[in-house]
Amino acid sequence: MPQWLRRGIICLQAKWEWAVAVFLIGALVYAYFQFLRIGYLPLPFWPDPQDVYADGYSTAWWGFNGGIYDTWKSVYPPLSFVITRLFATSRCYDADVTFVRDCDWGLWWAELLFYALNAFIVYRTMRWARPEAAIPRTIGVILGLPMLYAFEHLNLLVFAYTGLFLAFSPLLKSARMRWLAFAIAINLKVYLVMILLAQLCKRRWRMVEGTLFCVVLVQLISYLIIGHGSPQEVYENIVIFNRDPGRASNVNFVFYATTYNSLAEFINGNFPVMKYVGSQLMETLTLIARSSVILVQAGGLLCFFLIWLHPERVSRTRLAALAYLFVISSTETGGYTTAGAVFFVFFEPGKGFARTLSLIAAYALCLAVDMNISPTGSHIVNGYFAGREVWQDLWISAGPFVRPGLILLMQVGMIIATLQDILGRNRHLHSEWPERSDGPALAKLPVPTA
């Protein structure tokens, strides 16, 4: 069979993914025309039209003006402030933080550059691992709602994703460079260390030890540059952040919730849902939501144990997906973090019910669409993108209630697929998916066949 015909057949097998990618782009086009009409991006984009680029410029402002860990109580390691000092324009930070974004375009261009770099890395990685669906899966990761939200808030996770993607990509041939890339990602977002430690289930001792050494080295160098941000300071601020009672009463905190635990805490707090549906129904729904999280997490732990017993039957990217989903579905990490989970799920072939379930949930999480349920009021607010005041209608939408469920569905699909690969009918698949050999240190990925 000619190579071009073989590739065409493979692409036709993934035609539903192309349809979803077209729909995803269509949703962005619709959002753009809505923006032209109302002056701000509609839901499910961030519901505050004036709170744009806040994460990046706030981080840079504190980095230049001091008080990072004692006043602001930052949970970011010092590398975050090294990066903002490197790319930001220092003269702009003498003013109030709300005026900085109109002055400092250095940080914005740096994030855009790394955003484009992430797109290149994801495409090359998907082209290598899943060539039949490389383009739609790249569109899902890069133009999906989680990654767009990260850039819209100028979150430093855009930089962290570069390191994380490179650590699981064939682009870096040197194991030490992959360790360093992963270490930089962990020094930007601490919770990524759980994805690293999960690799111990595959007995990847050298990789974990080398990466942890690089983590300590990067932490030490960035600490010496900034002068603050010891592991103890970061840990104490994380504890304070997690115990903050104000988060449970802030609707913005749960708008991109990744776990039903935080959503249940918010709804049973100050959110006036009970007066509409009754306390009995709310208590039942809360119990179901929290029980679902516990059951799925128990399934995840079972998978980690089974992978430890049979490490050869599960790929490192599947293990990373399980660990990533375990973290974000049990602890509130922010909506932009889900782009990493989507990236790892997209390594899976579009075969079988469980894998397809995870892929569908991942694509659904990327779609920038929402459904308004009930209006909650309206007000006049400054629309930063529009450059003027806009009249904003406020809504309760379906997104905050659906997105944690999609994350759980992704996790359920990965759990079922793992159980099938180790215990069930798919135990033979490892012989059908030969591994590439790119040197003894390069982690191996399955090669798809026609």
Side-chain angles (χ1 to χ4, degrees):
M1 181 183 296
Q3 186 70 14
W4 64 269
L5 182 58
R6 178 173 174 269
R7 290 182 177 179
I9 293 174
I10 293 175
C11 288
L12 285 176
Q13 293 173 349
K15 61 183 178 181
W16 71 270
E17 296 190 49
W18 285 87
V20 175
V22 171
F23 185 70
L24 189 152
I25 295 176
L28 296 181
V29 173
Y30 171 78
Y32 173 72
F33 282 106
Q34 283 290 94
F35 164 75
L36 295 179
R37 184 178 67 86
I38 60 180
Y40 59 91
L41 292 173
L43 298 179
F45 290 95
W46 188 245
D48 188 350
Q50 62 181 340
D51 189 31
V52 176
Y53 305 145
D55 292 356
Y57 286 125
S58 293
T59 302
W61 191 89
W62 285 100
F64 282 109
N65 290 280
I68 299 171
Y69 296 100
D70 53 355
T71 304
W72 193 35
K73 300 296 181 182
S74 174
V75 298
Y76 299 151
L79 180 61
S80 301
F81 305 96
V82 174
I83 289 178
T84 54
R85 287 186 180 183
L86 177 64
F87 293 116
T89 306
S90 59
R91 61 177 175 79
C92 296
Y93 291 85
D94 294 333
D96 186 85
V97 66
T98 56
F99 298 101
V100 167
R101 58 187 171 182
D102 296 321
C103 173
D104 178 19
W105 288 97
L107 185 60
W108 187 91
W109 278 107
E111 287 235 9
L112 181 62
L113 175 64
F114 275 83
Y115 194 99
L117 179 59
N118 290 343
F120 172 77
I121 296 170
V122 171
Y123 174 72
R124 288 294 302 273
T125 303
M126 291 295 120
R127 185 70 183 84
W128 180 76
R130 299 295 162 204
E132 73 279 9
I135 294 178
R137 294 190 185 189
T138 302
I139 291 173
V141 175
I142 300 302
L143 296 181
L145 179 64
M147 187 69 83
L148 289 175
Y149 170 43
F151 182 74
E152 186 267 348
H153 256 51
L154 223 63
N155 195 279
L156 299 185
L157 189 57
V158 172
F159 296 109
Y161 276 142
T162 304
L164 182 66
F165 294 164
L166 283 173
F168 288 85
S169 168
L171 295 179
L172 291 180
K173 300 300 181 182
S174 168
R176 291 177 177 82
M177 291 303 297
R178 288 193 301 278
W179 299 346
L180 179 59
F182 206 169
I184 291 174
I186 293 172
N187 268 275
L188 288 169
K189 299 295 176 182
V190 179
Y191 54 82
L192 294 178
V193 72
M194 300 305 297
I195 288 81
L196 170 67
L197 296 179
Q199 296 298 316
L200 290 175
C201 292
K202 285 183 66 66
R203 322 294 174 88
R204 302 186 69 202
W205 305 104
R206 184 185 177 193
M207 177 262 190
V208 174
E209 291 170 0
T211 304
L212 287 177
F213 174 79
C214 292
V215 168
V216 174
L217 184 63
V218 172
Q219 159 71 24
L220 178 60
I221 295 174
S222 56
Y223 175 77
L224 292 176
I225 294 174
I226 299 298
H228 302 281
S230 66
Q232 181 179 354
E233 289 177 295
V234 174
Y235 172 77
E236 290 174 350
N237 287 345
I238 290 175
V239 172
I240 294 173
F241 177 79
N242 288 331
R243 293 177 178 175
D244 181 11
R247 294 192 306 159
S249 60
N250 187 348
V251 65
N252 289 340
F253 174 70
V254 297
F255 185 76
Y256 289 125
T258 62
T259 171
Y260 277 125
N261 290 333
S262 59
L263 194 62
E265 181 183 358
F266 170 73
I267 290 177
N268 288 285
N270 298 332
F271 197 60
V273 173
M274 285 192 182
K275 68 179 182 180
Y276 297 110
V277 300
S279 61
Q280 183 66 39
L281 179 58
M282 280 308 307
E283 290 175 0
T284 302
L285 293 176
T286 300
L287 177 63
I288 293 174
R290 287 178 168 164
S291 299
S292 299
V293 173
I294 293 173
L295 288 174
V296 173
Q297 299 301 62
L301 292 175
L302 175 61
C303 286
F304 294 140
F305 174 71
L306 292 175
I307 294 172
W308 172 263
L309 297 179
H310 303 281
E312 75 285 352
R313 294 179 182 169
V314 175
S315 68
R316 64 175 187 141
T317 53
R318 167 78 63 74
L319 179 57
L322 286 168
Y324 206 118
L325 290 165
F326 186 91
V327 171
I328 66 176
S329 63
S330 57
T331 305
E332 194 55 61
T333 55
Y336 27 62
T337 62
T338 53
V342 170
F343 171 74
F344 287 122
V345 168
F346 278 172
F347 276 92
E348 298 294 324
K351 297 180 180 180
F353 168 77
R355 294 174 177 85
T356 303
L357 175 66
S358 290
L359 288 171
I360 291 174
Y363 273 115
L365 196 64
C366 294
L367 293 174
V369 294
D370 211 335
M371 181 178 69
N372 295 333
I373 299 176
S374 175
T376 60
S378 58
H379 64 169
I380 296 176
V381 65
N382 176 58
Y384 180 76
F385 285 137
R388 57 180 173 84
E389 289 187 339
V390 296
W391 183 268
Q392 183 188 19
D393 295 320
L394 305 175
W395 293 85
I396 297 174
S397 66
F401 304 96
V402 173
R403 281 185 284 270
L406 293 174
I407 293 171
L408 285 181
L409 283 178
M410 291 166 63
Q411 195 172 1
V412 168
M414 290 292 92
I415 290 172
I416 295 175
T418 300
L419 295 178
Q420 290 176 339
D421 290 347
I422 296 177
L423 303 176
R425 60 184 180 181
N426 292 341
R427 290 180 61 181
H428 64 284
L429 282 184
H430 66 281
S431 62
E432 294 183 2
W433 296 79
E435 294 183 328
R436 287 181 176 170
S437 178
D438 291 296
L442 182 58
K444 300 172 182 177
L445 292 173
V447 179
T449 57

